[in-house]
Amino acid sequence: MKKFRYILASALVGFAFTACEDDHEPDWNEPSPFDVTVSSVSIEDGATVGLDVNSIEVVYSNEISLNSLVEVTLTDTKLDSLLIKDGNRLVAYFQLKKGKNYTFNIPGRAVAGVGSMTFAPEVTVNFATERSHLINPSLVSRSLTNANATAEAKAVYNMLLNNYGEKQLSGAMGEVAWGTAFCDLVKQESGKFPAIVGFDYIHLASSPSNWIDYGDITPVKKIWDAGSIPAMTWHWNVPTAKPGSETLWTGEQVMPADWSGSIQLNDDAAKAKLANVVEGSVITVKTKDVAAGAQGSVKNGETWSGLTSALEYFDITGDYTVTVTSDMISTIKEKGIIISGHDYTATEVTVTNPAGGNLSFDASSNVFVASNVLIEGTWENQVANADVAKLAGYLKLLQDAGIPVLWRPFHEAAGDYTWGAWFWWGNSGVDTTKQLWGWLRDKLTNEYGLNNLIWVWTVQTSDEGKLADMSKIRAAYPGDDLVDIVGADLYVDPMTNQTEQFETIHNLVGGKKIVALTECGNLLDPEAAYIDGALWSFFMGWYEQEGDTPSFIQWNKSNEWSTVLNNPLVLNQGDLNL
C-alpha cells in the first residue's frame, strides 16, 4: 500500500540533526549503510513551463524524511505545502505567474534518508513560466521602406528590430527649443539618460534667430555621439490668415456732411471675410472727392460706436487705413465693421493680411485648408512648399553628419474622433492627411534626397485617451509601403499596462510593423507589457516645465522615471548596439 504523508514538522528516524556547513554528511562515527541520491526531478533546470504546472516532484533513491528546521523555497519564499509520496518522492506545490523566472531550492540539510544516516544532496532548479507571444518576429518587416536608406538609418532600424518584443528603448522629449533640458532632468532623477531624445521643428519660421537656430545641429550631434537616437516631431505652424488683400466692398458710397452715409460690413458674407483678420492686418478705405475738414470713422458693426475711441472719428485727406490690434480682433470677427464719416466718397474697402502673419498648428485656425496644399498654385501650396524646402535644408545637415532620424510628421492626424481634429493637417479629413503624408514623403525623399529618415506614423484616439476603433484607424493609415514604425500617443495612469492598445495597433498592421509608444505622459509598466508579449519598441515621455525650468508637474511624480529606466528590460543611452 502506498504511503502518503503531509510533512508539517518531522524528525529523522534514528538520529538527530547537527549543524554542518561543508557537506551533507551528519556528524557521527557510525558508517552509513547507503547514500541517498536524487533519481529524477520533474522540471528540468532551465525549462520553460506553462501555468498549468502547479508542482515539482523530486524522486530519491531511498525513503526520505524532511527536516522541518530547514526551508524548501521557491525564489526565496518558503513553501509550506510539501508532500512525501511512496516514501521516496517529495512533491512541492505552488502557484505560478505568467512570464516569471523561478528558482526552486531544497538545501543540503533539508532531506535525509530514513536509516541511511546521510543527508540527500542539495537540489536547485531554475525555470521560467511562459509569457504571451503577441509579437511574431518573423512577420515584422526586415527592412526600411526606403530602399536607399542611409547605413545609419538601417543600423538604427535593425537595432530596433533585434530588440523588438524583448527590450524597450527609453525616450524623452528634450524640449521644443532645440535642447535637452528635460532629458537632463530625467538623468538627474534616474541616473540614466534616455536612449531616444525628442526634438521639434515647431519654431521653423523663427529659425535662424538669436534664440533658435536649427542650422546649429550641435544638440543633436551631441546626443547621437553619446549613444542616443534623435526623434523629430514637427508641430507645423502655418498662417492663420490668407496672405495678401481681399476686397470687402466696392462701389461708390457718398458720406454726406450730416453723417448719414455708411458701408455696413456686418452681414454673414462680410464676417466670413473678416474672420481671417489677424493682429497686423490692415483695413484700407479708398476714397475720392475728399473735402476740407472731412473725417473718417470705423465702427463696431453692432453697436455703431467707434471700433476704438480713436476710430470714432478722425481727420482724413484721402485714403485711410486701420491696423488691426489684438484688442480689435474678436469684435471685428463677431460683430463686423461699419465704415462712415462725412464729406468724402468711399470707393473700396479691402483687408490685407501680413505675409506670414500669426502662425498656428491648431485646426481651429481653419483658414489654411489642408486639402489645398495638394493643389498646385494655391496659396496654401506655396506656403507649404516654402516650409518644406526650408525644413529639408535642416534635415540635410543631419544626413550629411551621418545622423539618422526617427521622423514623425503629421502626428495625431485626425486628433480625437470624439471632438474633431486638433491640427490643421486633419481639418480636411483623414483621406487628405494620408495624401499629405505621401506628398511630404515624396518631396523629402525624391526631391530633396533625404534618406536618413525612419518614417513613424501615429494612430488616432477617441475620447478618454483610448485609440479609435479599428475601422477608423485603418481608414487613416497611409499604408505599409510608406510607413516604417506605427505608434500611439497615450496619456494614461502611471505604470499601467496598455496591452489592449498595443494589440489594436499590432492588428492594424498585421504584426508587420514595429509598434512604439510615440508619446506618453505617465510611463507604463515594461514588466507587465513584456509578460503579455506587448512590449512597446520605445516610448517618448513628453516634457513638462514650470516657467523655463524642466519639472515633474503632472506626470511621473513618484520616481517612475527611475523605476522604468533602471528596469533590466529597458535600454538607455550607451546600451544600444548600432
Side-chain angles (χ1 to χ4, degrees):
M1 177 182 243
K2 293 183 180 180
K3 303 175 186 176
F4 293 88
R5 289 182 286 160
Y6 279 98
I7 308 300
L8 298 177
S10 65
L12 284 177
V13 176
F15 62 86
F17 291 105
T18 58
C20 177
E21 301 297 333
D22 297 327
D23 53 36
H24 65 276
E25 291 287 344
D27 190 14
W28 51 51
N29 295 320
E30 297 87 346
S32 176
F34 56 85
D35 287 331
V36 179
T37 61
V38 175
S39 301
S40 64
V41 182
S42 62
I43 299 177
E44 293 184 8
D45 190 55
T48 299
V49 303
L51 292 182
D52 57 332
V53 173
N54 64 357
S55 66
I56 184 170
E57 180 178 282
V58 182
V59 178
Y60 292 91
S61 58
N62 299 89
E63 187 175 356
I64 59 170
S65 185
L66 195 64
N67 178 9
S68 63
L69 302 179
V70 180
E71 295 180 351
V72 177
T73 60
L74 184 67
T75 313
D76 298 326
T77 299
K78 180 185 177 183
L79 291 174
D80 291 319
S81 185
L82 302 172
L83 178 68
I84 292 178
K85 294 183 177 181
D86 298 334
N88 70 327
R89 296 160 54 206
L90 176 61
V91 183
Y93 293 92
F94 41 65
Q95 185 171 355
L96 303 176
K97 294 182 179 180
K98 180 171 61 174
K100 296 289 185 181
N101 295 315
Y102 291 97
T103 298
F104 172 74
N105 180 250
I106 303 175
R109 294 180 61 81
V111 174
V114 175
S116 71
M117 299 184 179
T118 61
F119 290 109
E122 180 178 9
V123 175
T124 300
V125 180
N126 295 295
F127 65 97
T129 48
E130 294 176 344
R131 62 187 181 94
S132 299
H133 292 282
L134 185 63
I135 298 168
N136 183 349
S138 66
L139 293 179
V140 185
S141 176
R142 310 309 297 176
S143 60
L144 292 168
T145 52
N146 180 359
N148 298 316
T150 63
E152 294 83 5
K154 290 178 180 177
V156 167
Y157 183 74
N158 286 334
M159 182 275 300
L160 293 173
L161 196 62
N162 292 336
N163 284 291
Y164 186 42
E166 300 299 323
K167 297 287 185 179
Q168 179 181 73
L169 275 68
S170 63
M173 279 296 295
E175 56 189 15
V176 294
W178 207 238
T180 62
F182 188 72
C183 288
D184 296 335
L185 176 65
V186 169
K187 171 70 179 293
Q188 179 182 324
E189 171 87 358
S190 66
K192 305 287 186 179
F193 196 89
I196 299 176
V197 179
F199 296 91
D200 199 324
Y201 285 110
I202 187 172
H203 300 301
L204 184 70
S206 299
S207 177
S209 65
N210 61 355
W211 65 274
I212 187 74
D213 183 3
Y214 296 129
D216 179 6
I217 64 170
T218 303
V220 186
K221 190 174 188 307
K222 181 179 178 181
I223 64 102
W224 171 251
D225 290 344
S228 292
I229 302 165
M232 301 292 182
T233 304
W234 189 15
H235 281 87
W236 187 352
N237 282 296
V238 294
T240 57
K242 179 180 178 180
S245 297
E246 187 167 16
T247 300
L248 299 175
W249 174 89
T250 185
E252 287 196 6
Q253 174 61 54
V254 176
M255 305 293 184
D258 63 359
W259 288 78
S260 60
S262 66
I263 302 168
Q264 299 182 36
L265 301 172
N266 52 9
D267 60 8
D268 290 343
K271 288 179 182 178
K273 294 180 179 180
L274 289 169
N276 298 335
V277 298
V278 295
E279 185 176 358
S281 295
V282 177
I283 298 170
T284 301
V285 179
K286 294 186 177 181
T287 65
K288 69 175 186 178
D289 302 332
V290 180
Q295 291 184 313
S297 179
V298 182
K299 302 178 181 295
N300 180 310
E302 185 175 286
T303 66
W304 286 74
S305 59
L307 197 56
T308 66
S309 58
L311 295 176
E312 183 77 40
Y313 54 87
F314 48 88
D315 296 337
I316 64 171
T317 57
D319 298 350
Y320 60 91
T321 62
V322 172
T323 300
V324 176
T325 65
S326 59
D327 294 337
M328 300 178 189
I329 293 174
S330 60
T331 300
I332 292 173
K333 289 184 175 183
E334 295 171 12
K335 313 298 184 184
I337 59 174
I338 295 171
I339 305 299
S340 185
H342 62 86
D343 292 307
Y344 74 95
T345 298
T347 60
E348 187 178 58
V349 182
T350 63
V351 60
T352 303
N353 294 319
N358 288 355
L359 300 174
S360 176
F361 49 73
D362 197 324
S364 63
S365 303
N366 58 7
V367 174
F368 191 92
V369 179
S371 59
N372 286 346
V373 170
L374 303 166
I375 301 174
E376 201 71 33
T378 63
W379 73 273
E380 293 95 338
N381 174 261
Q382 293 169 356
V383 168
N385 280 326
D387 284 353
V388 171
K390 186 175 183 179
L391 171 78
Y394 290 135
L395 290 172
K396 183 70 160 50
L397 296 175
L398 298 177
Q399 178 167 281
D400 292 345
I403 302 174
V405 173
L406 291 169
W407 174 234
R408 192 170 73 104
F410 301 128
H411 65 292
E412 301 165 5
D416 187 315
Y417 278 105
T418 305
W419 307 108
W422 298 326
F423 304 120
W424 67 260
W425 48 86
N427 70 16
S428 295
V430 295
D431 286 338
T432 291
T433 307
K434 285 195 295 185
Q435 293 175 59
L436 285 171
W437 179 273
W439 170 85
L440 180 63
R441 174 161 177 153
D442 179 64
K443 289 185 75 67
L444 292 180
T445 305
N446 299 321
E447 184 174 338
Y448 293 105
L450 292 168
N451 298 310
N452 61 329
L453 307 180
I454 298 171
W455 289 77
V456 183
W457 172 260
T458 308
V459 302
Q460 290 71 49
T461 62
S462 185
D463 57 347
E464 299 178 347
K466 297 179 181 179
L467 297 184
D469 64 51
M470 182 62 74
S471 63
K472 287 185 171 67
I473 62 175
R474 180 169 286 131
Y477 181 53
D480 289 345
D481 58 332
L482 297 177
V483 174
D484 296 310
I485 295 172
V486 184
D489 294 356
L490 302 179
Y491 289 78
V492 294
D493 292 336
M495 299 303 289
T496 54
N497 183 22
Q498 299 294 318
T499 296
E500 184 179 343
Q501 311 257 43
F502 180 98
E503 189 169 4
T504 297
I505 304 173
H506 176 83
N507 292 339
L508 166 70
V509 295
K512 293 181 288 186
K513 296 293 177 180
I514 290 174
V515 177
L517 186 59
T518 42
E519 264 184 45
C520 62
N522 288 310
L523 302 185
L524 305 185
D525 183 354
E527 200 89 35
Y530 175 82
I531 291 170
D532 284 347
L535 187 63
W536 306 82
S537 172
F538 61 83
F539 63 84
M540 175 61 63
W542 202 252
Y543 78 107
E544 295 184 278
Q545 61 185 43
E546 192 167 0
D548 294 329
T549 304
S551 307
F552 302 121
I553 302 170
Q554 180 178 354
W555 307 310
N556 306 304
K557 296 185 293 185
S558 300
N559 212 34
E560 284 89 353
W561 277 106
S562 182
T563 299
V564 172
L565 269 61
N566 285 285
N567 188 296
L569 291 170
V570 176
L571 301 177
N572 303 298
Q573 186 183 82
D575 296 334
L576 311 182
N577 181 12
L578 298 175

